[in-house]
Amino acid sequence: MSRLAYGLVVLVGVVAVALGAYGVLGGTGILRVTWLVPLGGLELALDPLGGLFLALIGFAAVPASIYAIGYPDHDGRGRWAYVVFVISMCLVPVAANVMTFIIAWELMSLASYFLVLHHRESKDSIEAGWIYAVMTHAGLACLLAGMLLLGAEAGSLRFADWRSMASALTPATRNAAFVLLALGFAGKAGVIPLHIWLPLAHPAAPSHVSALMSGVMIKLGIYGLLRVSLDWLGTGPYWWGAALLLAGAISSVIGVLYALVEHDLKRLLAFHSIENIGIILLGIGSAALYRVAGQDALAILGMVAALYHTVNHAAFKALLFLGAGSVVLATGTRNMEAMGGLIKRMPWTAACFLIGSAAIAALPPLNGFVSEWLTFLALFQNTHLASVGQNLVFTLGIASLALTGGLAMACFVKAFGITFLAMPRSDAAAGAREASPPMRLGMLALAAACIALGLGPTVVVVPVFGSVAAAVLRTQLPTTSGDWLTLRVSGEFASVSTVVIAVALAASLLVPLAAFRLAGASRRTRLYETWGCGRIVQTPRMEYTATAFANPFKRVFDFFYRPTRRLDIEFHPESRLFVERIEYENPTRSIFDDWLYRPALDFLRAGARAVGTLQSGDANWYLAYIFAALLLMLVFA
């Protein structure tokens, strides 16, 4: 039955890719269902932006579902919730009115909630599910408020009518709708400080679900932010774009800072989702600001960078979560301190994880490099703006992207090195076995996508994304030029050829080998142990740990992490001269828990205790409450 469910999702994914490609290439269509007409009916529409996100869902769902076929699922728990999850995600970008959108959005949220609770006996899973449910329904409340406000002012609940009547709405209505809708979509995307559910929910779900939640589901929050800032409400004021760009700068830096000190492999990847959402917001914010300034070509450049990184993140983050799932399945733990040496035991998984790590670290010639390069170029075009305040916002975005890139590279040196290199740190790591063939096939497909998206920006990727951006912004101005080999941006401002970079890198590896052969070097393989720095016998206790790797960053960013040191020493019972055990911990504290969510919860608890005093158990008091409520209702009526 599990294979049937996952096979059905593979079929749904293939259909989604085909329909999405049809929409991206200019095909449009609409399907109206006459059920529940008084409430607006169910209505589906296909346009280039919706088609792109529909194809993105199918693109990630197919390899994730193939992976799931080989993933152990002995009790079959959650397989049909997984089917509902993928189908409801496919409905979100093609929903054409409020009712259709809200039904699909809520189905997606409920299905993912049950998938987060996959391990119902785990206290961590229960806590993750509860926090996820609270945050996702708080976001739903914001979305409903914003959509009903727009529906009341525009006299219609259809998105196409909002688009045509946006210029007739009052500035106060548009601003209020933007704030409400942006908050709802930002919560789903995991934007700081609405991110607290994400590092809890993603690790709790099965790995193929984590891949779709991180690679696709949070991108539907990005889809909503694109609709709100650039489509439904028309051209907005400058502060819309500035708010998105600043939110992107903050999310990218804080996300990677939290990831650096995380030793749970899946939580580390979850925090990097926050970082990459921030990078996408940098592109969206720049597009919104350029659009207000009348720089349509630059607005398309910013949107192309955002769309490119959206697709790239779906590829390499899904790949990394599937790789992490294989590692967790083989070792029985998510703690990197109990791994090590897996490259010899899981070579296919290690190779795929390495490709994903290089892609997310924006190393050429892989896909992450191209989209971050385009984001940099979009931000560097701020010289076309005259406002000092806007240029300051762009400067902060440039600085945050540069810092994020360096820290992300350091983080994945740690993630790959501690997990796969050196010696096994536990018996489970020493006995690890390679993933099953379907799991390897899913990872290899995504690894190939990372390579293809990196090598083919001029052939397909950028032209297609440019057409989607032009359709949303309602302009035909080109953003790129060049031949099949070279991508040129803004005329001759910058150019890059990932194919040439790939050839140069390959040559740098092959030329020395050829030179050695020509010099007559022996072809005989010589096996010898790795140099051990002069030590004859190496043990796992001598290896570099994830804690040691993160310690310098904790010191540099001590003001942010605010670590609390704990040292526990146990001496020998007969003599205090001999130590039997030493435990050292240096955990970090979340400033958002300490400064935002914990005070808010304390306030709510205090309010609940105050209201609880009204529940006295005396029927006379209850009758008095009812009488007072009736009087108030009569007065206001």
Side-chain angles (χ1 to χ4, degrees):
M1 290 296 291
S2 60
R3 290 194 174 189
L4 175 63
Y6 297 133
L8 176 61
V9 175
V10 171
L11 178 61
V12 170
V14 172
V15 173
V17 170
L19 289 176
Y22 172 74
V24 167
L25 296 176
T28 57
I30 187 165
L31 171 65
R32 184 169 178 82
V33 181
T34 57
W35 184 53
L36 296 178
V37 172
L39 297 178
L42 298 179
E43 190 175 358
L44 305 176
L46 188 64
D47 66 354
L49 183 62
L52 177 62
F53 278 86
L54 178 61
L56 177 64
I57 295 168
F59 162 75
V62 170
S65 301
I66 293 174
Y67 177 96
I69 292 174
Y71 193 84
D73 186 19
H74 302 297
D75 57 1
R77 184 184 297 172
R79 58 176 177 261
W80 293 110
Y82 178 78
V83 176
V84 175
F85 176 54
V86 174
I87 293 175
S88 58
M89 282 197 297
C90 291
L91 294 175
V92 169
V94 296
N97 62 13
V98 172
M99 181 178 175
T100 311
F101 185 92
I102 293 300
I103 290 175
W105 190 268
E106 184 63 5
L107 275 175
M108 174 185 70
S109 299
L110 289 174
S112 55
Y113 166 77
F114 287 111
L115 292 170
V116 169
L117 286 177
H118 182 76
H119 302 289
R120 294 183 178 88
E121 66 280 357
S122 170
K123 182 180 178 181
D124 292 339
S125 293
I126 294 173
E127 180 185 3
W130 181 82
I131 293 177
Y132 175 60
V134 170
M135 293 301 296
T136 195
H137 285 92
L140 176 64
C142 291
L143 292 179
L144 275 173
M147 289 181 173
L148 292 177
L149 173 63
L150 277 177
E153 292 294 323
S156 172
L157 295 176
R158 300 181 69 244
F159 299 152
D161 295 335
W162 296 355
R163 191 178 296 116
S164 61
M165 299 181 63
S167 58
L169 299 176
T170 64
T173 298
R174 294 172 70 236
N175 289 335
F178 173 81
V179 171
L180 289 169
L181 294 175
L183 284 174
F185 288 124
K188 180 63 71 176
V191 178
I192 299 287
L194 306 175
H195 69 289
I196 60 166
W197 66 270
L198 196 151
L200 298 174
H202 287 192
S207 295
H208 53 284
V209 177
S210 301
L212 289 184
M213 290 181 71
S214 182
V216 178
M217 187 188 76
I218 62 174
K219 301 306 185 333
L220 293 178
I222 293 297
Y223 167 79
L225 289 172
L226 284 167
R227 289 292 192 192
V228 170
S229 59
L230 299 172
D231 186 23
W232 291 342
L233 300 178
T235 302
Y238 283 108
W239 70 266
W240 289 10
L244 292 173
L245 205 154
L246 287 175
I250 293 170
S251 296
S252 61
V253 173
I254 292 181
V256 74
L257 283 175
Y258 276 131
L260 264 171
V261 298
E262 187 59 61
H263 305 331
D264 184 316
L265 185 57
K266 292 184 71 174
R267 277 176 61 88
L268 180 148
L269 296 177
F271 278 118
H272 271 288
S273 294
I274 300 170
E275 171 226 334
N276 283 276
I277 287 295
I279 294 174
I280 296 169
L281 287 182
L282 292 176
I284 297 175
S286 65
L289 285 170
Y290 287 136
R291 187 187 192 189
V292 178
Q295 300 286 344
D296 290 339
L298 298 181
I300 292 181
L301 173 60
M303 188 170 174
V304 166
L307 293 176
Y308 204 153
H309 202 72
T310 297
V311 175
N312 286 343
H313 180 254
F316 57 63
K317 184 50 66 67
L319 171 60
L320 289 168
F321 264 113
L322 296 185
S326 299
V327 169
V328 172
L329 183 64
T331 61
T333 180
R334 303 198 308 246
N335 184 10
M336 289 187 290
E337 301 286 28
M339 298 178 185
L342 296 179
I343 191 170
K344 296 180 180 179
R345 294 156 181 81
M346 307 177 69
W348 288 95
T349 299
C352 292
F353 198 92
L354 180 60
I355 292 174
S357 298
I360 197 172
L363 294 179
L366 297 173
N367 55 344
F369 166 75
V370 185
S371 55
E372 288 199 26
W373 180 76
L374 287 172
T375 306
F376 266 120
L377 293 184
L379 296 174
F380 275 120
Q381 299 291 322
N382 67 313
T383 53
H384 292 82
L385 302 177
S387 171
V388 175
Q390 293 176 43
N391 279 283
L392 178 60
V393 172
F394 273 89
T395 302
L396 292 174
I398 293 169
S400 69
L401 185 56
L403 178 60
T404 298
L407 294 178
M409 186 176 297
C411 187
F412 277 93
V413 169
K414 164 189 162 180
F416 182 81
I418 301 298
T419 302
F420 290 98
L421 303 183
M423 300 174 65
R425 298 178 180 86
S426 65
D427 294 337
R433 295 291 182 269
E434 184 58 272
S436 63
M439 296 169 69
R440 277 181 274 168
L441 180 59
M443 291 187 286
L444 287 171
L446 290 169
C450 290
I451 297 172
L453 287 167
L455 295 179
T458 59
V459 179
V460 177
V461 184
V462 171
V464 168
F465 292 165
S467 65
V468 173
V472 174
L473 298 173
R474 292 183 280 281
T475 181
Q476 297 297 324
L477 294 177
T479 60
T480 60
S481 61
D483 51 34
W484 68 273
L485 189 64
T486 305
L487 175 65
R488 293 185 176 89
V489 178
S490 298
E492 297 299 323
F493 180 80
S495 63
V496 69
S497 176
T498 51
V499 176
V500 172
I501 293 174
V503 171
L505 290 173
S508 67
L509 296 175
L510 296 176
V511 168
L513 294 177
F516 282 126
R517 294 294 174 86
L518 292 175
S522 174
R523 299 186 180 184
R524 183 173 60 87
T525 302
R526 292 173 293 176
L527 299 177
Y528 196 73
E529 63 178 334
T530 306
W531 181 58
C533 303
R535 296 181 182 271
I536 298 176
V537 178
Q538 293 289 324
T539 68
R541 292 172 61 87
M542 301 173 184
E543 296 175 8
Y544 211 60
T545 63
T547 302
F549 193 99
N551 193 53
F553 298 99
K554 283 186 178 180
R555 294 190 178 190
V556 172
F557 298 101
D558 182 84
F559 66 94
F560 175 77
Y561 291 124
R562 298 179 303 130
T564 56
R565 294 172 177 82
R566 303 170 189 166
L567 181 62
D568 183 18
I569 303 176
E570 183 178 329
F571 293 95
H572 193 277
E574 297 181 0
S575 173
R576 294 186 61 83
L577 298 177
F578 298 98
V579 176
E580 283 198 341
R581 181 180 58 85
I582 297 178
E583 286 188 3
Y584 173 75
E585 288 184 291
N586 193 19
T588 59
R589 292 183 293 167
S590 171
I591 59 174
F592 299 100
D593 287 346
D594 291 349
W595 296 352
L596 178 61
Y597 290 105
R598 190 167 290 118
L601 287 175
D602 291 340
F603 176 78
L604 289 175
R605 289 192 186 99
R609 285 193 296 269
V611 174
T613 59
L614 299 175
Q615 188 177 356
S616 62
D618 190 334
N620 294 325
W621 280 108
Y622 294 156
L623 291 173
Y625 298 153
I626 296 172
F627 180 69
L630 288 173
L631 288 179
L632 288 174
M633 292 173 64
L634 289 172
V635 169
F636 285 109

